[in-house]
Amino acid sequence: MLHGEDSCAAVEDGGEEDQHRPLILERIEKETGRTWRTVLSQRLRKHCSCTPEKAKSRILSFFPVLQWLPRYKLRDWILGDAMSGVIVGILLVPQSIAYSLLANQDPIYGLYTSFFASIIYALLGTSRHISVGIFGVLCLLIGQVVDRELALAGYLPESSLSGNDSSVPLAGNDSGVVGCDQSCYAIAVGATVTFTAGIYQVLMGLLQVGFVSVYLSDSLLSGFATGASLTILTSQIKYLLGLKIPRPQGWFTLFKTWYGLLSNLGNTNVCDLITSLVCLAVLIPTKELNDRFKSKLKAPIPFELFVVIIATLASHFGHFNAKYGSGVAGVIPTGFLPPQMPMWSLIPNVAVDAFSIAIVGFAITVSLSEMFAKKHGYTVDANQEMYAIGFCNILPSFFHCFTSSAALTKTLVKESTGCQTQLSGLISALLLLLVLLVIAPLFYSLQKCVLAAIIVVNLRGALRKFTDIPCMWRANRIDAFIWLITMATSALVNTELGLLVGVLVSAFCVLGRTQRVQVLELGRAMTREHYEDLASYKGLQTHPDVAIFRYEAPIYYANQNLFKKSLYGCVGLDPVKEKSRCVKFQNSKRQEEAAGVPTSNSDEKEAEVPPAVTLMMNTASRQLRRVVIDCSAVLFLDTAGVNALKEVRKDYGELGVVVELAQCNTSVLDTLERGGYYSNQKGGNAGENRTIFFTIEDAVLHVQSPSTPNGDCDKS
């Protein structure tokens, strides 16, 4: 035990007196006197002035290709970029066609999207490795909006667009299209959503809000992707079975879809079912082989492309569409369609959907960019990524494309095959251009169930997250809870709502952690001046009449009452209740005296003892008159927090207990100063009589000194 007498003796010793004086540091004076007009003019001058050097820097930062292309190491990098570009391009062909089905679009539009996105990101993106193009979750979100708008426009809810020849005149269509069939209207809706999402992303880039990606945690994004994958899986079962049922709208689509599937199970197309089973039986084991031997293979074997080619030949020569009514991709034109403006009148209807799509696309892109940049030792600019993915949506929307973002599967393939720069993306675009100009019509007989099988097989990675739940729960229960809530809401209720619920749950979990923090009593290490939690470490010592406490959270309006309650509980005495008890005791004494009830000598002495003595607190069988609060873990205070500290000091001071703060950071000190905490000390103003303790030991020695009487917080 540390004895107060020894400490006092040390202070009284003139040779050691200087060693126990509190550490004094002089604050650097901040620049004052600047008005908001001065600050605004300086910032405008900084950001709006134009010099040749600044213009060159802005152009180079907006077009990163101008920075890395002149420094391109042709001999060292060209082989890896060429191989990765070809392999990813081969994978993009079947996946672009397949995911068009998920977005409720014709196959040609998926090829358009992958082609334009690869080129634009190669020019504007800062990541060297990510592959930008079609992403399953975004396709699902686009498909839901397209289905809703098709129903509102009066189109019959068909599962196939290519086989629908219905035409509805679009009165008041600002795009200049007087009338078009269901396929035409579907891509018009998809392009309008894409344009609006791109505008959101560019605006966020202009406002420098790229930092918002940090609020979308890995557990949130993973849970959202897994929940959306369940929805995608359910939506593709009708194609695997060859059923023609409409996609349900609104909430609880998973249950509605399964109800429709079970109700129409008797209408299963046997040809599609057999083809689906054969494709799954081939793709699942071959994908596993690719994953298992990826370290030994120079490039993954494109089994998807082989399955597409073989299935197309079988369907063409077997006449599956004519004989068995199997759904096929249909006519895929060559070349490019003329540019078309978005449907301006449709933007108000899809603005909310486009915002959620913009957030998801940006978050996925930035997360993958930062992950691979960290892995390979370079940096990416989050705001430039916002510009890049925004223009990957705005510009292609005029060429019959839908929303794109980075995709993990293709990015992993790109990295594993030796990618060094985004030149590989340009090579992939060249391969897609070849398909668009020459090969695309050959996929006419490709069955939709084959495309659905490709989508289902590519969901394996997301669905495997369910096996990681026990590990996530053991590692961090809060993150696991966020993952489960986000996944369940995305899958069972609504995909967009799942993202919102995940963000809100994450925010409440952060706030909840500040609500659960308890005040800890600290003890001193035997060999040095270091204090830690008494309940967590052995061999710590306490002072006979001083207790040190730590609160490991900010003190603000939401937890200031909890802070006081926890502190009072840890001290062992609630001063408010104790003062109330004292008042009642004094009143009862007065009433007894007024009634003439005789009192014993001991009772008279007890009544005459001042509150500072009679109300001493007993904590761990020791009399306590001094409290030191370690504020090193208090990141910030608000007005309510300052008032809470004032109340604690005042209430305990009235009971004869000195309360001091130690190890406050500069932000907390400034807040205490502005909140008048020090000006309420006895004897003067904040500038003259406050004592700042940079260590707990300084505060302890100060309150133990004889010149600091009980309840007096004046500087000695």
Side-chain angles (χ1 to χ4, degrees):
M1 297 289 292
L2 295 178
H3 299 291
E5 293 81 4
D6 296 340
S7 299
C8 292
V11 174
E12 292 171 358
D13 186 356
E16 298 182 1
E17 183 177 0
D18 292 341
Q19 299 178 7
H20 297 306
R21 289 178 179 175
L23 174 65
I24 299 176
L25 298 176
E26 185 177 356
R27 288 286 299 273
I28 298 176
E29 294 294 334
K30 295 182 179 180
E31 185 178 354
T32 58
R34 293 197 310 168
T35 63
W36 66 270
R37 295 181 179 179
T38 305
V39 175
L40 181 61
S41 63
Q42 289 178 351
R43 292 189 177 182
L44 288 176
R45 195 180 303 113
K46 177 181 177 181
H47 293 286
C48 297
S49 61
C50 184
T51 62
E53 293 78 10
K54 184 175 290 189
K56 179 181 178 180
S57 176
R58 291 292 176 87
I59 293 174
L60 291 177
S61 63
F62 191 77
F63 295 98
V65 65
L66 299 178
Q67 299 183 41
W68 60 261
L69 190 58
R71 298 195 297 265
Y72 189 83
K73 300 178 182 179
L74 187 63
R75 293 184 179 180
D76 297 334
W77 294 350
I78 189 61
L79 182 61
D81 283 341
M83 180 179 291
S84 64
V86 171
I87 295 297
V88 172
I90 292 173
L91 293 177
L92 279 173
V93 174
Q95 290 189 11
S96 299
I97 297 174
Y99 282 109
S100 299
L101 192 69
L102 186 59
N104 212 355
Q105 304 294 341
D106 283 350
I108 188 65
Y109 302 132
L111 295 171
Y112 286 163
T113 301
S114 296
F115 171 74
F116 285 107
S118 298
I119 294 176
I120 295 173
Y121 188 83
L123 301 177
L124 301 179
T126 58
S127 174
R128 304 174 190 172
H129 294 89
I130 67 169
S131 175
V132 175
I134 290 181
F135 180 54
V137 175
L138 294 183
C139 290
L140 172 67
L141 298 177
I142 288 287
Q144 292 174 346
V145 179
V146 170
D147 281 345
R148 184 191 69 206
E149 295 303 321
L150 286 175
L152 292 176
Y155 289 98
L156 295 177
E158 298 277 346
S159 64
S160 171
L161 291 179
S162 58
N164 182 14
D165 296 328
S166 64
S167 178
V168 175
L170 305 179
N173 184 0
D174 294 337
S175 64
V177 180
V178 178
C180 65
D181 61 11
Q182 185 169 337
S183 172
C184 171
Y185 192 75
I187 189 56
V189 173
T192 303
V193 175
T194 300
F195 174 81
T196 310
I199 292 295
Y200 282 136
Q201 290 166 337
V202 171
L203 287 177
M204 286 188 285
L206 290 172
L207 297 175
Q208 301 287 299
V209 293
F211 65 89
V212 297
S213 63
V214 302
Y215 295 103
L216 302 177
S217 64
D218 292 339
S219 57
L220 187 154
L221 292 175
S222 176
F224 174 73
T226 304
S229 297
L230 285 176
T231 306
I232 294 172
L233 175 64
T234 303
S235 69
Q236 297 307 297
I237 293 179
K238 67 178 183 179
Y239 296 109
L240 297 177
L241 301 177
L243 299 176
K244 296 184 178 180
I245 56 177
R247 181 185 296 181
Q249 296 294 316
W251 289 8
F252 307 105
T253 56
L254 192 77
F255 301 106
K256 296 176 183 178
T257 302
W258 277 106
Y259 177 79
L261 290 171
L262 296 176
S263 301
N264 294 273
L265 203 58
N267 300 326
T268 300
N269 188 300
V270 179
C271 178
D272 283 344
L273 177 60
I274 294 175
T275 304
S276 301
L277 293 175
V278 172
C279 291
L280 292 174
V282 173
L283 287 173
I284 292 177
T286 53
K287 281 280 191 178
E288 292 295 331
L289 287 175
N290 264 341
D291 292 342
R292 179 168 298 184
F293 297 104
K294 62 182 179 181
S295 60
K296 298 180 180 180
L297 295 172
K298 292 185 178 180
I301 303 174
F303 289 108
E304 291 176 342
L305 185 62
F306 297 155
V307 168
V308 165
I309 294 173
I310 295 172
T312 303
L313 293 174
S315 176
H316 176 74
F317 292 106
H319 305 287
F320 290 169
N321 178 248
K323 289 184 178 181
Y324 308 107
S326 180
V328 296
V331 177
I332 304 179
T334 57
F336 294 91
L337 298 176
Q340 181 175 315
M341 298 290 287
M343 297 176 61
W344 308 113
S345 60
L346 195 62
I347 290 179
N349 296 354
V350 300
V352 177
D353 305 281
F355 183 76
S356 61
I357 290 172
I359 293 295
V360 173
F362 165 69
I364 295 296
T365 302
V366 172
S367 298
L368 290 180
S369 298
E370 292 179 343
M371 180 176 70
F372 284 94
K374 183 178 180 181
K375 182 177 180 180
H376 292 275
Y378 63 94
T379 59
V380 294
D381 184 349
N383 285 306
Q384 181 60 29
E385 289 295 296
M386 188 86 82
Y387 288 130
I389 200 64
F391 283 107
C392 281
N393 289 322
I394 292 177
L395 299 180
S397 67
F398 294 95
F399 297 91
H400 310 273
C401 299
F402 48 91
T403 313
S404 60
S405 74
L408 177 60
T409 304
K410 293 185 284 291
T411 300
L412 290 172
V413 171
K414 195 172 181 180
E415 181 209 24
S416 64
T417 51
C419 171
Q420 298 293 332
T421 66
Q422 282 298 329
L423 183 64
S424 61
L426 297 176
I427 295 174
S428 299
L430 289 176
L431 192 61
L432 289 171
L433 181 63
L434 177 64
V435 173
L436 285 168
L437 296 179
V438 180
I439 305 175
L442 300 179
F443 294 109
Y444 174 89
S445 299
L446 177 61
Q447 292 170 270
K448 291 186 176 181
C449 63
V450 177
L451 302 176
I454 293 174
I455 294 174
V456 170
V457 170
N458 282 313
L459 296 175
R460 293 172 305 120
L463 298 178
R464 279 177 180 164
K465 290 291 184 181
F466 286 103
T467 62
D468 297 335
I469 293 178
C471 294
M472 287 191 292
W473 187 260
R474 288 192 296 268
N476 191 308
R477 293 188 177 184
I478 293 179
D479 286 344
F481 175 74
I482 294 172
W483 188 93
L484 288 170
I485 292 295
T486 307
M487 181 276 301
T489 309
S490 300
L492 303 179
V493 183
N494 182 270
T495 308
E496 295 93 336
L497 182 65
L499 182 65
L500 177 61
V501 169
V503 172
L504 293 178
V505 170
S506 298
F508 282 121
C509 284
V510 173
L511 293 176
R513 294 182 187 185
T514 66
Q515 307 295 306
R516 297 178 59 188
V517 175
Q518 298 296 318
V519 172
L520 307 175
E521 184 174 3
L522 307 184
R524 186 183 187 277
M526 297 179 63
T527 57
R528 61 185 62 192
E529 298 175 357
H530 183 75
Y531 292 81
E532 281 298 340
D533 179 21
L534 283 170
S536 300
Y537 296 94
K538 298 179 180 179
L540 300 179
Q541 298 176 331
T542 58
H543 295 271
D545 58 349
V546 180
I548 302 100
F549 301 97
R550 176 187 295 158
Y551 191 67
E552 298 179 337
I555 305 175
Y556 62 110
Y557 69 95
N559 70 347
Q560 49 104 6
N561 287 327
L562 297 172
F563 160 72
K564 292 191 293 183
K565 181 179 179 181
S566 178
L567 178 63
Y568 296 160
C570 192
V571 169
L573 179 70
D574 187 334
V576 178
K577 293 181 179 179
E578 192 65 24
K579 285 190 294 183
S580 176
R581 189 192 67 81
C582 180
V583 170
K584 290 181 180 179
F585 177 77
Q586 297 292 344
N587 291 337
S588 65
K589 284 292 182 181
R590 293 192 187 97
Q591 292 175 0
E592 291 177 359
E593 292 175 356
V597 177
T599 58
S600 62
N601 293 334
S602 60
D603 291 339
E604 291 178 358
K605 291 180 180 179
E606 182 180 353
E608 292 174 358
V609 176
V613 176
T614 59
L615 299 180
M616 284 193 302
M617 298 164 288
N618 293 316
T619 302
S621 301
R622 56 196 174 108
Q623 292 183 336
L624 188 65
R625 287 184 173 273
R626 299 164 178 88
V627 172
V628 174
I629 301 177
D630 175 18
C631 298
S632 59
V634 179
L635 298 180
F636 64 88
L637 298 171
D638 65 357
T639 304
V642 175
N643 291 334
L645 290 174
K646 287 181 182 179
E647 292 172 10
V648 168
R649 186 184 62 186
K650 175 178 177 293
D651 293 339
Y652 275 133
E654 292 176 353
L655 301 180
V657 179
V658 178
V659 177
E660 292 288 0
L661 308 181
Q663 301 193 130
C664 300
N665 62 47
T666 55
S667 173
V668 170
L669 288 174
D670 291 340
T671 305
L672 291 171
E673 178 105 25
R674 291 192 298 268
Y677 179 84
Y678 295 107
S679 62
N680 290 336
Q681 291 183 352
K682 293 183 180 180
N685 55 49
E688 297 177 355
N689 290 286
R690 68 169 183 168
T691 302
I692 298 174
F693 301 106
F694 293 99
T695 66
I696 298 176
E697 191 72 10
D698 284 348
V700 171
L701 294 174
H702 173 76
V703 297
Q704 283 184 328
S705 64
S707 58
T708 306
N710 294 341
D712 188 0
C713 298
D714 287 352
K715 181 179 177 181
S716 58

